[in-house]
Amino acid sequence: MRILGVDPGLTRCGLGVIDTLPARKAKMVSVDVLRTPSTDSVDLRLGALAEAFDSWLDTYRPDVVAIERVFARNDVSTIMGTAQVSGLTMGLAARRGLPVAMHTPSEVKAAITGSGRADKKQVTNMVTRILELEAAPKPADAADALAIAICHSWRGALSGQSTPGANKDLNERKSAGRQGTGLTKAQEQWAKALRNAK
Amino acid sequence: MRILGVDPGLTRCGLGVIDTLPARKAKMVSVDVLRTPSTDSVDLRLGALAEAFDSWLDTYRPDVVAIERVFARNDVSTIMGTAQVSGLTMGLAARRGLPVAMHTPSEVKAAITGSGRADKKQVTNMVTRILELEAAPKPADAADALAIAICHSWRGALSGQSTPGANKDLNERKSAGRQGTGLTKAQEQWAKALRNAK
């Protein structure tokens, strides 16, 4: 399964692609941080990100897109750009029929390091080890995007998809309305309808 | 000049297209409210809105897109969906090289009714009169989208674009870094680069 992880942001948007391997392993396919200049207007920055994100979807053809969930913090102004980029990437992925999964920062940290309060350095170190990279991905947004993708592969495995051995009670989970990809029934129907329309 | 006004929202997204006429008049071309079910996941809703918005851009080919600016309010959770839809529509318009203008709710109300604190009914009544419609557009989101488009046409006129008579000191304003469409210099350059690339 190929997963595109997205750490959404207007100034720096991290994108990381991994292929899952057996036994909870994964291989890095690509990683980059898209940057847009803060001197440009927001619409230009979002237009540039839309072009770049669609081109990543075309190039890497992921099976699923995992995006860090934006949370309400103290200062609303700082999350506005992040919310706009997350909305843009969610919409662009979903319109292609791609499943989109959201993971909170603490879910990602907990999955990667074992602690939901790990710092950026711990996350980067674990991402480097898990993907057996020769050097740590930089900047932090690059490592975060890969961490989101890894987190999704493992949480997918937990719910019965990524490792073959875990498939034994997949039907049970299907009947509970969720499948191994982390898709809701409505998402499955939408994806199917889009596939049939094309 | 053809203007597409957008009142962004996840549950109801108002879209209104007007053509400007001489003497601060305007004609309605189309109006609708896109709805997505709150029972669907956010990515599906954004995917559906992306498809619908792009199809409006294809069908009506506006010269400019005017979007209501999202503001930080008391409750962050309620503006998250609006921020995501505004980011999506801004990105989809800008990637085509279309100029995108943002107007605050009070700018729109003041332009249409003369008061920045007008209620929805006053805005709807004025939109109906300005566009010489036989019936008031419903629901309020439809009237709001048209109001945003009208507001943009008038603010554009004020800065020297929409009415021929106002062009006499356009060069002065050009040299001040803003043109009549309400575009910044960077937006103009981006739009030009995109046009040339296609």
Side-chain angles (χ1 to χ4, degrees):
Chain A
M1 182 168 64
R2 178 164 288 189
I3 305 169
L4 168 57
V6 182
D7 184 20
L10 207 47
T11 303
R12 289 184 305 278
C13 181
L15 298 179
V17 180
I18 64 167
D19 280 339
T20 57
L21 302 172
R24 287 169 63 92
K25 292 200 170 182
K27 200 186 93 186
M28 185 180 85
V29 177
S30 188
V31 68
D32 202 3
V33 174
L34 309 176
R35 295 160 195 273
T36 68
S38 60
T39 47
D40 275 1
S41 62
V42 174
D43 60 295
L44 293 191
R45 301 172 77 185
L46 290 167
L49 288 174
E51 285 290 284
F53 185 72
D54 256 343
S55 123
W56 272 63
L57 294 180
D58 288 337
T59 304
Y60 298 108
R61 308 208 157 271
D63 300 301
V64 55
V65 176
I67 306 177
E68 190 164 286
R69 189 184 292 278
V70 188
F71 262 114
R73 296 272 169 73
N74 352 0
D75 186 5
V76 179
S77 68
T78 60
I79 66 150
M80 189 62 77
T82 312
Q84 288 173 322
V85 175
S86 88
L88 182 66
T89 52
M90 287 170 85
L92 290 175
R95 78 187 297 179
R96 292 178 182 230
L98 284 175
V100 175
M102 309 298 285
H103 299 290
T104 66
S106 57
E107 278 171 2
V108 175
K109 287 175 188 170
I112 303 294
T113 69
S115 160
R117 307 194 320 189
D119 62 20
K120 281 186 177 295
K121 202 179 165 191
Q122 288 172 287
V123 171
T124 299
N125 285 346
M126 283 306 296
V127 165
T128 310
R129 282 173 58 182
I130 293 162
L131 298 176
E132 298 178 358
L133 304 176
E134 294 190 357
K138 281 180 188 173
D141 312 78
D144 281 347
L146 292 169
I148 293 155
I150 296 167
C151 164
H152 183 74
S153 76
W154 290 353
R155 293 179 68 92
L158 285 175
S159 62
Q161 172 92 354
S162 291
T163 55
N167 275 334
K168 58 184 188 291
D169 52 357
L170 182 58
N171 284 330
E172 247 179 76
R173 291 188 193 94
K174 269 190 184 163
S175 65
R178 284 191 81 81
Q179 302 206 3
T181 46
L183 290 187
T184 62
K185 213 166 182 178
Q187 284 177 309
E188 281 293 341
Q189 286 167 349
W190 163 272
K192 199 177 160 193
L194 269 186
R195 278 193 301 269
N196 290 343
K198 279 171 185 172
Chain B
M1 182 167 64
R2 177 164 287 188
I3 306 170
L4 168 57
V6 182
D7 183 20
L10 206 47
T11 304
R12 289 183 304 277
C13 181
L15 299 178
V17 181
I18 64 167
D19 281 340
T20 58
L21 302 171
R24 287 169 64 90
K25 292 199 170 184
K27 201 185 92 184
M28 185 180 84
V29 177
S30 189
V31 69
D32 202 3
V33 174
L34 309 176
R35 295 162 196 273
T36 67
S38 60
T39 46
D40 276 2
S41 63
V42 174
D43 61 294
L44 293 190
R45 302 172 77 183
L46 291 166
L49 289 173
E51 285 289 283
F53 186 72
D54 255 344
S55 122
W56 272 63
L57 294 180
D58 288 337
T59 305
Y60 298 108
R61 308 208 158 272
D63 300 302
V64 56
V65 176
I67 306 177
E68 189 164 286
R69 189 184 292 278
V70 187
F71 262 114
R73 295 273 170 74
N74 350 0
D75 186 6
V76 179
S77 67
T78 60
I79 66 151
M80 190 60 77
T82 313
Q84 288 173 322
V85 175
S86 89
L88 182 67
T89 52
M90 287 169 84
L92 291 176
R95 77 186 300 180
R96 292 178 182 229
L98 284 174
V100 176
M102 308 299 284
H103 300 290
T104 66
S106 57
E107 277 171 3
V108 175
K109 286 176 189 171
I112 302 295
T113 69
S115 160
R117 307 195 317 189
D119 62 21
K120 282 186 177 296
K121 201 179 164 190
Q122 287 172 289
V123 172
T124 298
N125 285 345
M126 283 305 297
V127 164
T128 310
R129 283 174 57 183
I130 293 162
L131 298 176
E132 299 177 357
L133 304 175
E134 295 191 356
K138 282 180 189 171
D141 313 77
D144 282 347
L146 292 169
I148 293 156
I150 296 167
C151 165
H152 183 74
S153 77
W154 288 353
R155 293 180 67 94
L158 284 173
S159 62
Q161 172 92 356
S162 293
T163 54
N167 273 335
K168 59 184 187 291
D169 52 356
L170 180 60
N171 285 330
E172 249 178 73
R173 291 185 192 98
K174 269 191 184 163
S175 63
R178 284 191 81 81
Q179 301 208 3
T181 46
L183 289 186
T184 63
K185 214 166 182 177
Q187 285 177 307
E188 281 292 341
Q189 286 167 348
W190 162 272
K192 199 176 160 192
L194 269 187
R195 278 193 302 269
N196 290 342
K198 281 172 185 173

